[in-house]
Amino acid sequence: MRKIRLFGWMLFTAVIVAFLTGCSTLITETKETYDKVYKPTHLLPPNYVVSEKLPYTANIRVNKENTLYDRDDRNDEYRFQAGLRLDEAVKAYLSPMFTGEKYKDIIIDIDTYNLEISHKRKEGTIKYLTCHDINIKADIFIDIIIASWIDSNGSYCGDETGIRPKEDSLFLAIVNGIENLRPRLYEAIIFPEKEKGRFESLMRENPNDWRVVLALANLSRLSKDYNLAISAARNAIKLQNSFEAYFVLGLTYEEMKQYHEAINNFKKTIELRPQILSAYQHLSEIYLLQENYIQNVNLWGKAITVFSNNWHPYFQLAIAYAHTGKYKDAITNANKAIELSTITGIGISIAIENDFPVVKKIVESGPAKKAGIEVGDKIVKINGQSIKGWDINKIVQNIRGAEGAQITLTIEKKDEEVEKTITSERMIQKEAASSLGLRSLVYGIRGNIEQSFRDAQEAYALDLDNEWARRAISVAYIQKGKGFEEALKILSTSKESFDRLLEALLYSKKGDLKRSVEIYMAIPEDYLSSESIFRRDFRKMVFKSLLPYLESKKGLARSLENKSQYKEALKEYAELIRFTDKEEAKEIRSHIAMLLKTQPYLLELPEEARKYAVRAEEYTKEVKFDEAIQEYKRALRIAPFFPDLYRNIALNYGGLKAYRQAIEYMNIYLELYPDAPDARVARDEIYRWEVMTEKEEK
């Protein structure tokens, strides 16, 4: 009886085993298992070279949480941490294609899907291989708007290994998929016109697919096919009234220099989605271009209510106030930007991986860096206490501590635990260089040279390449009367007009007035005649340092005029007027107007200037106002006191709806020709433009 019972138990066990082996087996891989057993670090190439290279920055976002499963042809079910494998593969095989030499707002969302597992016999043997096939998809966003999406397939067959593979076939299948994806990704970004053709076909097949239409609009903009971009964006709005379509329209009109339409579409973008910071930035750039400084102040004032914990809007508001000459408000907002760029802690950023925090970023000048902490380090204990499973907020609070607090971190490196004791510090981050640089310049204008110098030194120490820091340290050196050669080295590397202005100031302070004047005269006149109080104050610094030279110019102009050498006198006045403020310039033009009235032959337009004026007239007829303005300004360089050129520039600015510039040039026309036959018409036009300006500011 006992033998029968034992045989029965053995039979039951055999049936269970047979049942389990004859039916499906579930093989589940957890994140912890992947990290300890499967993580394919040994398969990553030590010196892998990516053949496709793009000179841009890109933010590649991987869905690391993705778990894929499949039943193979033996009815076994596998569940894999495909997202973690994808993340490893992207770092080694995709990220290196973006070299980061040029900034471009590119985001790539990448994910895996459709895993298939099968077996096939290795040719010439009785050995079976485990094969993995997988699909990878990449969504490409340029300037935050979808521009394309691409799919690729990857496959790999490795040794049949069961639950503990010798080589990670799924990882190598993902690598194969990324290598197939990469050339297509390169083509889509570098040749948007080709991708545009693909999406035109897709739209014909799916005319009501909002995402296809939106991508076509963005690709058309990137290809400079602006008519199609506008048409597609408007169709996208009809399909779905979204901020993305308005943003594409705004970007398109901005590139076309149709700023009035661009402004309206950026405003609509912000209305629908106030959290789109780049919409504020683009709108601000147009306001600055049009010297609409009040609107720019209002814009960033609204932005700080949305982005109250972001330093950037406060910095932009500080710039806006500086342009209006409200330097106290500029300093207040620069202070807030610096405050938001200052942290207390040890100088690391973390992310939770497999229940433990892993170091993702390190502040270069922070205490963690000095203590030898590295990106990728896994923190397992804080002050001797295990933190497995802790909430990230609790971890951050314990790591950060108060200023001066000592924190002991236990770091796991290569299966060994290392303790690091670090003192929490107050750290100003690299991004504060812009705000410190701007504040330094404002202090310099206000005459607080010592504070200006301290801010400049701190800004420059934080970021040697930051344009505001470089300007600040240059001005600080100039105002302190030392470091001229270092300042010159910094300024000479820039092509910006503001830096040319500072370079002119530097040479005049050195006593080289001739070189100072040469540099100043090469600065575009539009920049020098700016309404910005900030720029004007730096111009005044140059004027003050060139006072002896300017007095001699005035004397020479009067002397030539007394000798009836009027053309020669006009040349001297033309140079002199560029070194004057608005009131002095008005006085000179009033004097020139009297001279032109008594000597009408001076109103003859030189032949070379006439050539540019005729070209400008043609552009005006073709409604190419911007091109017309550039031609008229070339004529002005030759004939700076010819009244009709100013009137025609004003009318073209009116055509562009750039009303402030239109008013400025029409006023100059009337200053030079107060008795013009169309003076009444010109004044009425100014009144109309003033009304349009007031409407824009509401």
Side-chain angles (χ1 to χ4, degrees):
M1 187 71 177
R2 185 179 173 187
K3 288 183 179 179
I4 293 173
R5 284 177 180 173
L6 181 60
F7 176 77
W9 174 251
M10 291 173 65
L11 180 63
F12 175 76
T13 304
V15 169
I16 294 298
V17 171
F19 175 77
L20 290 174
T21 54
C23 297
S24 65
T25 301
L26 175 62
I27 302 172
T28 300
E29 175 187 81
T30 65
K31 289 183 180 181
E32 187 174 2
T33 305
Y34 169 82
D35 197 43
K36 290 184 177 179
V37 180
Y38 295 98
K39 192 171 183 179
T41 50
H42 64 289
L43 298 174
L44 292 171
N47 296 303
Y48 183 81
V49 177
V50 172
S51 54
E52 300 86 358
K53 294 284 186 181
L54 288 168
Y56 304 124
T57 53
N59 178 15
I60 303 175
R61 303 185 300 199
V62 177
N63 180 10
K64 291 189 284 188
E65 305 302 317
N66 195 11
T67 301
L68 293 181
Y69 65 92
D70 185 46
R71 290 184 183 275
D72 64 12
D73 45 12
R74 297 175 180 176
N75 206 31
D76 291 334
E77 184 175 341
Y78 291 80
R79 294 180 183 272
F80 287 107
Q81 298 296 319
L84 295 177
R85 286 174 170 82
L86 179 63
D87 188 49
E88 294 279 347
V90 163
K91 288 173 185 174
Y93 295 90
L94 187 60
S95 295
M97 76 182 290
F98 295 95
T99 63
E101 296 158 37
K102 300 178 183 176
Y103 174 77
K104 196 173 181 71
D105 191 358
I106 299 172
I107 298 172
I108 300 170
D109 284 341
I110 190 163
D111 204 354
T112 53
Y113 69 101
N114 196 29
L115 170 65
E116 293 184 7
I117 305 171
S118 60
H119 298 85
K120 69 178 182 181
R121 181 175 288 177
K122 189 174 182 180
E123 189 176 347
T125 71
I126 61 170
K127 190 175 184 180
Y128 277 84
L129 302 177
T130 303
C131 299
H132 293 80
D133 284 272
I134 194 163
N135 287 85
I136 298 174
K137 63 176 182 178
D139 289 349
I140 307 168
F141 298 83
I142 299 179
D143 298 323
I144 76 168
I145 307 300
I146 188 71
S148 184
W149 50 87
I150 299 169
D151 287 71
S152 74
N153 176 262
S155 60
Y156 188 83
C157 294
D159 290 343
E160 183 179 23
T161 53
I163 197 166
R164 297 192 58 158
K166 294 176 185 175
E167 63 178 4
D168 192 332
S169 296
L170 176 56
F171 174 74
L172 293 173
I174 289 172
V175 168
N176 179 240
I178 285 179
E179 290 188 312
N180 292 334
L181 178 81
R182 207 169 53 221
R184 296 185 60 199
L185 195 65
Y186 176 90
E187 290 275 324
I189 292 172
I190 207 75
F191 300 116
E193 60 278 4
K194 291 183 180 179
E195 201 69 1
K196 183 188 76 168
R198 180 166 79 93
F199 274 81
E200 283 181 293
S201 299
L202 282 173
M203 193 181 76
R204 284 192 290 270
E205 296 169 10
N206 307 282
N208 295 320
D209 189 325
W210 170 79
R211 202 161 178 257
V212 169
V213 178
L214 182 65
L216 177 60
N218 204 17
L219 286 165
S220 301
R221 173 186 71 88
L222 294 166
S223 306
K224 301 191 185 306
D225 186 348
Y226 295 130
N227 289 334
L228 181 56
I230 291 168
S231 173
R234 286 176 176 165
N235 284 340
I237 289 169
K238 290 177 184 176
L239 293 169
Q240 184 168 317
N241 191 45
S242 69
F243 79 89
E244 292 99 325
Y246 286 105
F247 192 53
V248 171
L249 269 178
L251 293 171
T252 303
Y253 282 123
E254 182 183 17
E255 290 175 23
M256 295 172 71
K257 298 183 179 179
Q258 294 185 21
Y259 297 125
H260 185 74
E261 289 79 5
I263 287 170
N264 288 337
N265 282 284
F266 287 138
K267 283 182 175 179
K268 188 66 177 178
T269 303
I270 293 168
E271 177 190 325
L272 292 173
R273 188 65 63 87
Q275 298 81 13
I276 303 301
L277 185 57
S278 53
Y280 294 88
Q281 193 64 53
H282 281 277
L283 185 51
S284 174
E285 286 166 7
I286 296 175
Y287 284 150
L288 290 174
L289 190 66
Q290 295 184 339
E291 299 203 86
N292 194 340
Y293 299 119
I294 300 299
Q295 279 291 75
N296 201 39
V297 167
N298 295 338
L299 174 70
W300 289 111
K302 178 181 179 181
I304 64 172
T305 65
V306 180
F307 305 96
S308 57
N309 294 317
N310 188 325
W311 68 273
H312 186 75
Y314 286 98
F315 168 64
Q316 292 294 339
L317 185 55
I319 293 174
Y321 275 125
H323 280 302
T324 63
K326 294 184 177 180
Y327 293 133
K328 186 178 179 181
D329 291 324
I331 289 173
T332 298
N333 283 281
N335 290 342
K336 184 64 177 178
I338 294 164
E339 178 191 325
L340 289 170
S341 303
T342 303
I343 59 171
T344 300
I346 63 171
I348 61 171
S349 296
I350 59 170
I352 302 296
E353 293 184 5
N354 302 323
D355 291 331
F356 286 101
V358 175
V359 177
K360 293 298 180 182
K361 290 182 182 178
I362 296 181
V363 176
E364 286 299 315
S365 59
K369 180 76 173 180
K370 297 170 190 172
I373 302 293
E374 298 176 343
V375 171
D377 283 353
K378 182 164 79 172
I379 303 169
V380 294
K381 295 178 184 177
I382 299 176
N383 295 327
Q385 187 177 0
S386 174
I387 57 173
K388 183 178 180 180
W390 278 19
D391 175 77
I392 192 166
N393 293 323
K394 184 178 178 182
I395 294 170
V396 169
Q397 286 172 2
N398 279 268
I399 289 178
R400 181 171 291 169
E403 186 176 356
Q406 288 196 326
I407 299 100
T408 300
L409 302 182
T410 304
I411 306 296
E412 186 178 278
K413 290 190 177 189
K414 298 178 181 178
D415 297 326
E416 292 183 1
E417 291 187 356
V418 181
E419 283 193 354
K420 302 277 187 179
T421 300
I422 309 165
T423 303
S424 181
E425 294 178 5
R426 181 177 175 274
M427 293 166 289
I428 297 180
Q429 299 180 91
K430 188 177 181 179
E431 64 204 30
S434 296
S435 304
L436 282 163
L438 174 63
R439 192 173 74 177
S440 170
L441 293 171
V442 171
Y443 277 132
I445 289 170
R446 299 181 79 186
N448 193 339
I449 307 303
E450 291 305 319
Q451 182 62 55
S452 175
F453 190 63
R454 285 195 294 272
D455 278 354
Q457 284 182 311
E458 189 169 8
Y460 198 52
L462 282 171
D463 189 354
L464 296 173
D465 297 319
N466 182 278
E467 64 174 359
W468 290 97
R470 292 168 72 84
R471 289 168 178 170
I473 198 68
S474 299
V475 170
Y477 282 141
I478 293 168
Q479 291 189 315
K480 293 281 270 185
K482 65 177 186 180
F484 286 143
E485 294 309 313
E486 180 64 22
L488 183 59
K489 192 187 299 182
I490 292 168
L491 295 171
S492 61
T493 60
S494 169
K495 295 180 181 178
E496 295 292 324
S497 294
F498 187 74
D499 296 319
R500 296 286 68 71
L501 192 62
L502 299 183
E503 194 176 9
L505 178 63
L506 185 151
Y507 274 107
S508 66
K509 288 285 189 180
K510 282 181 70 177
D512 190 345
L513 302 188
K514 182 180 178 183
R515 180 63 180 142
S516 176
V517 170
E518 286 174 358
I519 292 168
Y520 183 90
M521 291 297 288
I523 299 171
E525 191 168 353
D526 277 359
Y527 190 87
L528 294 174
S529 62
S530 170
E531 293 291 320
S532 166
I533 306 297
F534 184 69
R535 292 180 193 169
R536 283 189 194 177
D537 283 340
F538 276 99
R539 281 183 69 203
K540 287 177 182 176
M541 288 185 190
V542 178
F543 301 164
K544 189 176 179 180
S545 63
L546 288 173
L547 200 56
Y549 172 83
L550 299 177
E551 288 300 323
S552 68
K553 274 285 171 187
K554 287 179 186 176
L556 179 58
R558 292 192 198 101
S559 174
L560 290 168
E561 195 177 336
N562 290 335
K563 295 175 184 176
S564 300
Q565 294 176 317
Y566 299 117
K567 286 187 177 181
E568 290 79 2
L570 286 181
K571 288 180 182 178
E572 298 301 325
Y573 281 125
E575 184 175 333
L576 184 62
I577 204 169
R578 298 192 71 184
F579 289 90
T580 58
D581 59 25
K582 253 189 167 182
E583 288 306 311
E584 289 178 296
K586 189 174 182 179
E587 287 177 16
I588 291 174
R589 289 193 193 101
S590 296
H591 180 71
I592 299 298
M594 292 173 61
L595 197 60
L596 294 175
K597 192 172 183 179
T598 58
Q599 309 294 329
Y601 75 93
L602 295 172
L603 282 168
E604 293 176 9
L605 192 62
E607 196 63 32
E608 189 180 353
R610 183 176 294 280
K611 177 183 73 173
Y612 293 122
V614 170
R615 288 169 59 86
E617 288 169 9
E618 288 303 307
Y619 280 127
T620 303
K621 289 175 186 175
E622 295 170 10
V623 199
K624 295 179 178 178
F625 300 125
D626 194 66
E627 289 89 339
I629 288 167
Q630 297 312 312
E631 294 296 331
Y632 277 127
K633 286 182 179 179
R634 290 187 180 100
L636 269 183
R637 292 190 198 113
I638 301 161
F641 297 115
F642 194 79
D644 285 353
L645 296 176
Y646 289 96
R647 180 195 59 196
N648 294 339
I649 290 174
L651 294 172
N652 276 277
Y653 270 125
L656 287 173
K657 299 179 181 178
Y659 301 118
R660 279 177 180 74
Q661 288 92 330
I663 292 167
E664 178 190 348
Y665 277 87
M666 193 63 87
N667 275 324
I668 294 174
Y669 168 65
L670 292 173
E671 287 169 14
L672 288 171
Y673 199 1
D675 300 326
D678 62 346
R680 176 74 274 150
V681 174
R683 289 190 180 91
D684 289 347
E685 199 67 62
I686 289 171
Y687 299 150
R688 276 191 284 272
W689 289 332
E690 286 174 345
V691 171
M692 299 306 294
T693 302
E694 289 167 9
K695 285 182 179 179
E696 283 185 347
E697 290 180 353
K698 288 180 180 178

